[in-house]
Amino acid sequence: MVMSVSLARTGILLLGMAAAACTPLRAHQGYIVDVDLVNSVQPGVDNRQSVQQTLGRPTFASQFGAQDWYYVARDTRNLAFQKPKPNAQITLKLTFDQAGNVTSITRTGLEQVASLSPSGKETPTLGKKRGIFEDLFGNIGTVGAAGARADGTGGGRDTP
């Protein structure tokens, strides 16, 4: 009787662990969007200072050309040890004129997320491909005393 209770508890524990491993993990990265605050920013009315007071500091700002501010929010989801995949994203792009006034607000979503797939597990390089034995034993016989010549005459400080 005691053995069957122990086996039942072990079975329930293993079943619970298996179910927990399949639970989706959700995460949020970046700006926390408050729709009312975002909608309160108006082109031609607000400037940099009022935008920063309303929305806070941007996620990042453009470094070259037009002075744009970006607010990025992303929600991701993954199972167990899989790579997280974005399931929602909001990007707000605020464009300012030279005087610092908001000229336009652009909202984009998940369609702007680029999927990159690297080529293989190693970076291709130019030059000779070496095997493991060449990596391990390739320097045998090539490493000598500093400044040693092939004719064996040395090449110390006194000898050029």
Side-chain angles (χ1 to χ4, degrees):
M1 183 74 173
V2 174
M3 184 69 141
S4 64
V5 171
S6 175
L7 286 175
R9 286 183 183 168
T10 304
I12 291 172
L13 179 66
L14 289 175
L15 186 62
M17 288 172 52
C22 295
T23 302
L25 302 172
R26 299 170 197 260
H28 177 81
Q29 299 168 326
Y31 183 70
I32 298 175
V33 177
D34 185 343
V35 177
D36 294 331
L37 291 177
V38 170
N39 290 335
S40 70
V41 176
Q42 299 297 318
V45 176
D46 288 300
N47 57 24
R48 288 181 200 272
Q49 185 178 4
S50 66
V51 170
Q52 188 167 354
Q53 288 174 349
T54 305
L55 300 179
R57 293 183 60 179
T59 306
F60 62 93
S62 63
Q63 298 296 315
F64 304 104
Q67 293 296 313
D68 299 333
W69 283 5
Y70 296 89
Y71 293 87
V72 181
R74 177 184 286 179
D75 293 323
T76 58
R77 178 176 176 227
N78 64 314
L79 295 172
F81 298 105
Q82 294 177 344
K83 189 165 95 175
K85 296 177 183 169
N87 61 350
Q89 177 171 313
I90 297 172
T91 305
L92 297 172
K93 176 185 172 187
L94 282 75
T95 306
F96 299 94
D97 61 9
Q98 294 296 329
N101 298 317
V102 177
T103 57
S104 69
I105 300 173
T106 309
R107 293 176 179 92
T108 57
L110 201 54
E111 71 276 359
Q112 293 292 318
V113 175
S115 178
L116 301 176
S117 50
S119 121
K121 292 185 178 181
E122 62 184 45
T123 305
T125 59
L126 299 174
K128 180 181 174 189
K129 283 198 151 226
R130 294 175 48 161
I132 185 139
F133 291 110
E134 288 177 297
D135 284 340
L136 291 174
F137 304 113
N139 287 336
I140 294 177
T142 60
V143 178
R149 295 185 185 166
D151 62 359
T153 58
R157 291 183 184 223
D158 298 336
T159 309

